[in-house]
Amino acid sequence: MFQLSLGTRLRRSPYFEATVADGVTAFSTYNRMLMPTAYGDPMAEYWRIIEGVSMWDVAVERQVEISGPDAARLAQILTPRNIARCKVGQGKYVPICNHAGVLINDPILLKLAEDRFWFSIADRDFEDFAAAVAAERGLNVTVFEPDVAPLAVQGPKAEDVIANLFGDWTREIRHFWFRETSLDGIPVVLARSGWSKQGGFEIYLIDPARGGELWAKVKEAGRPHGIGPGAPNQMERIESGLLSFGADTDRATNPFEVRMGAYTTRGLGPEVIGAAALDRIATKGPTRHQLGVVLEGATPLSSNIDWLPVRRENRMIGSVTSSVWSPRMKATIGLALVASAAAAGDEVMVEGPDGVVAARLCELPFL
Amino acid sequence: MFQLSLGTRLRRSPYFEATVADGVTAFSTYNRMLMPTAYGDPMAEYWRIIEGVSMWDVAVERQVEISGPDAARLAQILTPRNIARCKVGQGKYVPICNHAGVLINDPILLKLAEDRFWFSIADRDFEDFAAAVAAERGLNVTVFEPDVAPLAVQGPKAEDVIANLFGDWTREIRHFWFRETSLDGIPVVLARSGWSKQGGFEIYLIDPARGGELWAKVKEAGRPHGIGPGAPNQMERIESGLLSFGADTDRATNPFEVRMGAYTTRGLGPEVIGAAALDRIATKGPTRHQLGVVLEGATPLSSNIDWLPVRRENRMIGSVTSSVWSPRMKATIGLALVASAAAAGDEVMVEGPDGVVAARLCELPFL
């Protein structure tokens, strides 16, 4: 266990004081901001997401806004998924690739207006890349990071909490759709989204001065439902097979390798960055793919800081990229990036921090 | 004090085990890697840099390598400092700006060959930006991040330690110059550089499998000089007026505002990104500049996590962007980004975490 050193280089969130008051004990960093990761009771935090409702400070999920006459054109240039039919008020999970087809981000794209988009990004700078492409192509757009701070409300009871706060109309919001609205004068974008498979919403706070106020209102509305603080949960997200960009990807990963092929479109043409490279990879077939892995033994691994080598019949076939103890499966499970020849059902050996462990590959998600 | 949550998203350095064995107690993150920041005795770590010699795991200082027939052309496109006269074996401190002239990185550029460069970057992704520009302009280059891990040896006795390890020829290396060499077969680039003003070297380890070995050799060679582990030191770097990109800059900062104007060149022409914007800013004059600030009172501030508002005659003129207790000045000192009209000698008020504090602006560096 190590301390995290604080300073002005790692920004804090508008919810920081509220999370400290609610007992946050650990942080990670994400997009050079502090992200709460634990409140001292990991099992309670887990079950709250699975069976109840949890509130998360995910202000680290930064927005890169693109607006102006060429915004729609640039948005399409930046993702190899066809977004022509994306409606205002709709979100889409979009891969971002470099010119070689390597995945460099996996944001949710929110179409706020015909000429205004947010890319709600993973942990890698996207603003400089997007702005460079816009400038190099002479497009008439503005690219910047607005100070917008998402607060996630996740779990099977999240809908009741959100309906209580915003009204019953919110029950009709479809997955990844959103609406600009306000809560007692606090301007927000409310979306049905979030980094869990237990259902829920993300409240994108537009005015960072009102973080404490919004946190308190959500907490109050959730009280009858047993809401408590939490954070993006490694146990739940691995059980659910959710990708963590940067944890489960390396500097050569393309979308096909991590089950994002369906979010790419063939034949988008030369204007779209990475599209031609992905067309070629689709024809040849990717050399790696992502599967689940279940380790034998009833003891969690002592560390999950490194990719763990995976061997099949004594040959190296890839790595476990994230692993965790699953409370519901009562086993150590992980995501594995392995050679395309490897398949669900294969028996493998994983080089763990405490020695070699027998394991079996499987389809995702686990649950 | 908060814990840092570990996982595979935040990579560790090749020196990680060695730093743990040597008692590291805290980390920050930088370029999505773990950076040791403390070994449990801040004053000993400080005086070691000022009076002796300290060894730092700065593997987080990532290299972006550009190589190929168009590498020299791309390197110049990427920085608004004229690098035409940079020799092979020479390093240069170069601002990187976006097309609008905003500072987006402040690396050391190392010219390894006429067609091969490293940008030794600050805490912001540069690879995607550089690769995008290369691809958009159709340049014949390769852009990637090699797994190179700098180990800094800093302090007045660093030269003796390095001479002991590599030979007396190293005493002749000029500031920012470097040489590719090896240490008992460990391939490294040895440079006279480092993020302190106390003198020293950086050993860029080329083979990450040999981190523990290199750490042990440096430790052994430094033993007669009282070497000990340390880290980039906030007290020393603020006393010395060194910029921390991302801590002392915001999303509008240009090089003139943070004393980097001398590292930019006028009239570089339209091919160089940001050059035209900087020419315009140079003509008009920047609206902000960086000064030092000395706070009254003999008590360190309770927190240094936020930019602190600075007022002069009751008008907001800027912010203290980093602050620290200076052991040699026996005062809280900081770097301030303030309106150009503000000058050294001005009396100001700083809104600290514990209330408003009287302070005085001054020239940099402090020492």
Side-chain angles (χ1 to χ4, degrees):
Chain A
M1 293 302 177
F2 300 105
Q3 273 179 23
L4 173 62
S5 292
L6 303 180
T8 52
R9 186 174 47 78
L10 300 174
R11 288 177 293 163
R12 43 182 223 164
S13 131
Y15 310 114
F16 180 80
E17 276 98 355
T19 62
V20 170
D22 277 355
V24 63
T25 58
F27 288 89
S28 184
T29 65
Y30 198 96
N31 286 323
R32 291 186 300 280
M33 283 183 73
L34 303 178
M35 174 172 66
T37 50
Y39 289 82
D41 190 345
M43 293 319 300
E45 290 160 36
Y46 170 79
W47 288 111
R48 222 176 259 150
I49 298 163
I50 303 298
E51 299 182 336
V53 56
S54 180
M55 57 192 289
W56 308 349
D57 171 1
V58 285
V60 298
E61 220 183 277
R62 305 312 291 169
Q63 312 310 306
V64 174
E65 176 165 329
I66 294 177
S67 58
D70 291 329
R73 186 172 160 207
L74 179 59
Q76 182 64 81
I77 287 169
L78 291 169
T79 178
R81 178 178 185 179
N82 187 340
I83 54 167
R85 287 163 59 193
C86 184
K87 302 276 196 299
V88 172
Q90 189 176 10
K92 292 269 188 192
Y93 184 43
V94 295
I96 304 292
C97 291
N98 67 15
H99 292 72
V102 171
L103 191 68
I104 58 172
N105 219 305
D106 70 329
I108 305 292
L109 172 71
L110 288 82
K111 184 169 177 175
L112 295 152
E114 292 297 341
D115 61 355
R116 185 166 167 248
F117 299 81
W118 281 349
F119 287 84
S120 189
I121 62 170
D123 183 30
R124 186 161 171 136
D125 292 312
F126 177 59
E127 181 187 349
D128 295 342
F129 177 82
V133 170
E136 292 291 321
R137 299 203 185 180
L139 300 180
N140 187 1
V141 293
T142 304
V143 179
F144 75 109
E145 182 189 303
D147 197 356
V148 167
L151 193 168
V153 183
Q154 300 286 301
K157 297 181 183 167
E159 187 176 297
D160 290 339
V161 177
I162 294 296
N164 182 353
L165 274 171
F166 290 91
D168 272 330
W169 63 270
T170 59
R171 297 188 189 273
E172 309 304 320
I173 298 178
R174 284 175 285 163
H175 191 57
F176 279 168
W177 288 66
F178 64 88
R179 198 189 283 186
E180 295 188 66
T181 180
S182 66
L183 184 65
D184 302 337
I186 305 174
V188 302
V189 165
L190 178 68
R192 190 185 287 269
S193 57
W195 203 53
S196 85
K197 287 283 189 190
Q198 308 311 314
F201 291 79
E202 288 176 298
I203 309 170
Y204 290 73
L205 172 65
I206 311 288
D207 179 356
R210 304 186 74 174
E213 214 180 323
L214 178 61
W215 184 272
K217 285 181 191 295
V218 172
K219 189 174 167 180
E220 185 56 33
R223 200 180 301 273
H225 306 281
I227 204 168
N233 191 284
Q234 293 296 322
M235 297 185 274
E236 192 281 336
R237 77 100 181 165
I238 293 176
E239 291 173 341
S240 298
L242 291 172
L243 182 77
S244 174
F245 177 80
D248 301 318
T249 58
D250 60 21
R251 287 173 180 272
T253 305
N254 65 59
F256 303 105
E257 295 181 332
V258 286
R259 300 175 296 130
M260 290 184 71
Y263 304 115
T264 68
T265 309
R266 299 285 69 73
L268 282 178
E271 182 164 277
V272 176
I273 295 173
L278 294 183
D279 287 349
R280 286 193 297 274
I281 297 167
T283 303
K284 282 177 52 183
T287 58
R288 302 185 293 185
H289 64 156
Q290 191 180 46
L291 292 172
V293 60
V294 182
L295 276 65
E296 286 188 4
T299 316
L301 299 182
S302 65
S303 154
N304 66 343
I305 195 175
D306 290 314
W307 279 26
L308 308 176
V310 178
R311 287 189 167 74
R312 189 184 57 175
E313 292 163 2
N314 245 346
R315 289 181 55 183
M316 176 80 172
I317 59 164
S319 303
V320 175
T321 60
S322 294
S323 62
V324 75
W325 178 258
S326 163
R328 285 180 288 170
M329 296 179 61
K330 298 188 173 37
T332 296
I333 61 172
L335 303 184
L337 189 57
V338 290
S340 296
D346 287 359
E347 308 278 355
V348 297
M349 303 300 284
V350 174
E351 262 182 53
D354 316 300
V356 175
V357 184
R360 186 189 288 267
L361 299 176
C362 65
E363 297 294 346
L364 289 168
F366 292 97
L367 291 171
Chain B
M1 293 302 177
F2 300 105
Q3 273 179 24
L4 173 62
S5 292
L6 303 179
T8 53
R9 185 173 49 77
L10 300 174
R11 288 177 294 163
R12 45 182 222 162
S13 131
Y15 311 113
F16 179 80
E17 276 98 355
T19 61
V20 170
D22 277 355
V24 62
T25 58
F27 288 90
S28 184
T29 65
Y30 197 96
N31 285 323
R32 291 185 303 277
M33 284 182 73
L34 302 178
M35 175 171 67
T37 50
Y39 289 82
D41 189 346
M43 292 321 297
E45 291 160 37
Y46 170 79
W47 288 111
R48 222 176 259 151
I49 298 165
I50 304 299
E51 300 184 334
V53 55
S54 180
M55 56 193 289
W56 308 349
D57 171 1
V58 284
V60 298
E61 219 184 276
R62 304 313 291 169
Q63 311 311 306
V64 174
E65 176 166 331
I66 294 176
S67 58
D70 291 330
R73 185 171 161 208
L74 178 59
Q76 183 63 83
I77 287 170
L78 292 169
T79 178
R81 177 177 186 180
N82 187 341
I83 54 167
R85 288 163 59 192
C86 184
K87 302 275 195 301
V88 172
Q90 190 176 9
K92 292 267 188 194
Y93 184 43
V94 294
I96 304 291
C97 292
N98 67 15
H99 293 73
V102 171
L103 191 67
I104 58 171
N105 219 305
D106 69 331
I108 306 293
L109 172 70
L110 289 81
K111 185 170 179 175
L112 294 152
E114 293 296 341
D115 61 355
R116 185 165 167 249
F117 298 81
W118 281 351
F119 287 83
S120 189
I121 63 171
D123 184 29
R124 186 161 170 136
D125 292 311
F126 177 59
E127 180 187 349
D128 295 343
F129 177 82
V133 171
E136 292 291 320
R137 299 204 186 179
L139 300 180
N140 186 1
V141 292
T142 303
V143 179
F144 75 108
E145 182 189 302
D147 197 356
V148 167
L151 192 168
V153 183
Q154 300 287 302
K157 298 181 182 168
E159 187 176 296
D160 291 338
V161 176
I162 293 296
N164 182 354
L165 274 171
F166 289 91
D168 272 331
W169 62 269
T170 58
R171 297 188 190 273
E172 309 304 318
I173 298 177
R174 283 175 286 164
H175 191 57
F176 279 167
W177 287 67
F178 64 88
R179 197 189 283 186
E180 294 188 67
T181 181
S182 67
L183 184 65
D184 302 337
I186 305 173
V188 303
V189 165
L190 179 68
R192 191 184 287 269
S193 57
W195 203 53
S196 85
K197 287 282 188 189
Q198 308 310 314
F201 290 79
E202 288 176 298
I203 309 170
Y204 290 72
L205 172 66
I206 311 288
D207 178 356
R210 304 185 74 174
E213 216 181 321
L214 179 61
W215 185 270
K217 284 180 192 295
V218 173
K219 189 173 168 181
E220 185 56 32
R223 200 180 301 272
H225 306 280
I227 204 168
N233 191 284
Q234 293 296 321
M235 295 185 276
E236 193 282 336
R237 77 99 181 167
I238 293 175
E239 289 173 343
S240 298
L242 291 172
L243 182 77
S244 175
F245 177 80
D248 302 318
T249 59
D250 61 20
R251 289 174 178 270
T253 305
N254 65 58
F256 303 105
E257 294 180 333
V258 287
R259 300 175 296 129
M260 290 185 70
Y263 304 115
T264 69
T265 309
R266 299 284 70 72
L268 281 179
E271 183 164 275
V272 176
I273 295 172
L278 294 183
D279 287 349
R280 285 192 298 272
I281 297 167
T283 303
K284 282 176 51 184
T287 57
R288 303 185 292 184
H289 65 154
Q290 190 180 45
L291 292 171
V293 60
V294 181
L295 276 65
E296 287 187 5
T299 315
L301 299 182
S302 64
S303 153
N304 67 342
I305 196 174
D306 290 313
W307 280 26
L308 308 176
V310 178
R311 288 192 167 71
R312 189 183 57 176
E313 292 163 2
N314 245 346
R315 288 181 56 183
M316 175 81 172
I317 59 162
S319 303
V320 175
T321 60
S322 293
S323 62
V324 76
W325 177 258
S326 164
R328 286 181 287 172
M329 295 179 62
K330 297 189 174 37
T332 295
I333 61 172
L335 303 183
L337 188 57
V338 290
S340 296
D346 286 359
E347 308 278 355
V348 296
M349 302 302 283
V350 175
E351 262 182 53
D354 317 300
V356 175
V357 183
R360 184 189 290 267
L361 299 176
C362 64
E363 297 293 346
L364 288 169
F366 292 96
L367 291 172

